[in-house]
Amino acid sequence: MPKLLIVDDSALMRKHLRTLFEETGSFEVRTARNGRDALEQIDAFEPDVVTLDVNMPEMDGLTCLGEIMASAPRPVVMVSSLTSEGAAVTLEAMQLGAVDYVEKPGGTVSLNIDGIRREMIDKVRVAVRAKPRRAHGLLDRVRRSGRAAVPAPRRAAPRVGWSDGLVLIGVSTGGPRTLEEILPDLPADLPWPIVIAQHMPRAFTGAFAQRLDKVCALDVSEVVGPTPLTPGRVYIGRGDADVVIERRLGRLLVNTIPSDTSLRWHPSVDRLVRSASGHLPGDSLVAVQLTGMGDDGAAAMAELRRSGGRTIAESEESAVVFGMPAELIKQGGATVTLPARSIPNQLISWLSRGSDGSRP
């Protein structure tokens, strides 16, 4: 039976979360009242997974996470408010190695805890099987987390001769950290735009796009409405909606539309890939399936490969959760399987033009 440590400064919240998980009969549970107490409990209890509140006295969640990942890495699920400040802190936690996050109930905890019951249990169960990854220079990163990031050097991306090709990326649990490993290694003159469906709440995607824009040579923005696709740019689908490719007056656009309620995850990877396949031939599309639970996008990417498209599945070696890429591989839909660190070079190789300017 996996061991779970619940860390929260609210006695009421600790009580309700402990009851929630003990009622499943699937966890041995202990609690801690702040980050400092959590570190002591981790040494004594050796939990398999930790839920960690962001705002706590004595030692906050971000500092505690840094200590955990530097000294005794294990899966951590952050519990955060979905405010702009909460989103920024949670994204920093994802980069530092947290596996996932859930929204902290507001108002009366006893009334609102049911609203996150299924999500909390599902994400903690997945986290138990996830592989935490230690970040380089982690404690230094925590100490300077409030400082502004230094923008990556940029140069003008090409605006002529675009061959109407497109890179599509699907990603879920563990995605923020993985995307921050891949996208900064891509050059500003990448000849095709990139559109990303990252399963994420609406309050997070804008902050995430801004964060990536600071560290990438490519321009990164959130999709908030119909937007012409341009080389040298990365488009992040708005959370709690779906992101699709459209063609208007002969020009390709990326757009955000209401989520399809028949689908479980949003922005939907499946819907993004199918919409792109409806407007571009297979050999003009490259699809990348990264870390995440479930199978969103696997069937659509497998169909894309059969129609002449190229696909990359992140390997089990680097995937925080191997569910989505594993399903793509299972369906025979992966052209290549690579660890995250090797994906930028593969994309650059595939998208490089010949000297005659022919299609990659």
Side-chain angles (χ1 to χ4, degrees):
M1 182 181 297
K3 298 178 180 179
L4 167 64
L5 179 65
I6 295 168
V7 187
D8 200 292
D9 65 324
S10 165
L12 184 60
M13 186 69 172
R14 292 196 301 272
K15 176 183 177 182
H16 282 293
L17 288 178
R18 181 167 194 155
T19 299
L20 185 156
F21 282 101
E22 286 183 338
E23 285 179 347
T24 69
S26 302
F27 296 91
E28 181 183 349
V29 185
R30 289 191 187 177
T31 63
R33 64 184 182 278
N34 57 46
R36 199 170 304 281
D37 184 24
L39 296 178
E40 294 176 0
Q41 294 269 14
I42 287 172
D43 287 341
F45 183 47
E46 297 187 351
D48 299 293
V49 61
V50 177
T51 68
L52 186 58
D53 188 18
V54 170
N55 298 308
M56 297 179 293
E58 294 192 44
M59 180 183 286
D60 63 79
L62 202 61
T63 304
C64 180
L65 174 66
E67 296 285 351
I68 292 171
M69 300 309 294
S71 60
R74 66 198 64 231
V76 176
V77 176
M78 304 302 293
V79 183
S80 171
S81 61
L82 292 187
T83 62
S84 58
E85 181 180 355
V89 172
T90 304
L91 288 170
E92 177 68 16
M94 297 295 103
Q95 208 289 326
L96 293 175
V99 171
D100 213 334
Y101 53 86
V102 293
E103 180 181 1
K104 188 168 188 175
T108 305
V109 173
S110 59
L111 295 178
N112 292 340
I113 195 72
D114 283 341
I116 67 164
R117 180 184 298 272
R118 179 184 174 187
E119 179 186 15
M120 174 74 83
I121 294 172
D122 286 350
K123 288 189 173 184
V124 170
R125 280 177 171 159
V126 169
V128 170
R129 303 190 300 272
K131 296 179 297 185
R133 288 188 291 166
R134 189 196 306 262
H136 296 295
L138 192 52
L139 292 179
D140 287 341
R141 292 183 60 85
V142 173
R143 295 187 186 104
R144 66 174 184 262
S145 60
R147 303 176 194 172
V150 177
R154 301 175 189 263
R155 57 193 177 97
R159 294 292 182 266
V160 295
W162 177 38
S163 61
D164 273 2
L166 191 58
V167 177
L168 310 170
I169 298 180
V171 60
S172 185
T173 309
R177 168 78 180 277
T178 303
L179 289 170
E180 286 192 41
E181 183 176 349
I182 293 171
L183 296 180
D185 283 346
L186 295 173
D189 59 355
L190 197 76
W192 290 1
I194 298 173
V195 181
I196 299 174
Q198 158 77 67
H199 299 162
M200 186 175 277
R202 181 168 181 160
F204 279 42
T205 45
F208 185 42
Q210 292 172 16
R211 179 183 177 89
L212 286 171
D213 190 58
K214 292 178 181 179
V215 299
C216 293
L218 296 161
D219 293 315
V220 184
S221 60
E222 180 190 31
V223 181
V224 296
T227 306
L229 286 163
T230 306
R233 293 186 178 272
V234 178
Y235 303 87
I236 306 289
R238 172 173 279 187
D240 298 330
D242 285 334
V243 59
V244 295
I245 306 303
E246 301 174 345
R247 191 181 288 276
R248 299 184 185 181
L249 300 177
R251 188 170 187 183
L252 283 178
L253 308 175
V254 61
N255 197 11
T256 183
I257 61 176
S259 58
D260 182 342
T261 56
S262 68
L263 302 173
R264 180 176 179 184
W265 296 283
H266 304 283
S268 165
V269 182
D270 187 88
R271 202 172 183 188
L272 170 62
V273 175
R274 293 186 188 282
S275 70
S277 296
H279 295 288
L280 289 167
D283 63 359
S284 292
L285 293 170
V286 171
V288 183
Q289 188 80 311
L290 301 177
T291 174
M293 62 181 177
D295 61 359
D296 185 22
M301 288 190 190
E303 290 176 17
L304 172 62
R305 187 190 180 195
R306 289 192 289 271
S307 69
R310 289 164 291 183
T311 60
I312 301 173
E314 183 181 2
S315 67
E316 188 173 10
E317 170 192 340
S318 67
V320 176
V321 178
F322 192 46
M324 285 167 55
E327 188 61 30
L328 178 61
I329 295 168
K330 178 182 177 181
Q331 295 190 28
T335 305
V336 295
T337 300
L338 298 170
R341 66 179 179 275
S342 300
I343 291 175
N345 283 340
Q346 183 65 69
L347 290 174
I348 293 168
S349 174
W350 276 350
L351 305 189
S352 295
R353 296 177 179 276
S355 60
D356 61 353
S358 60
R359 183 184 298 277

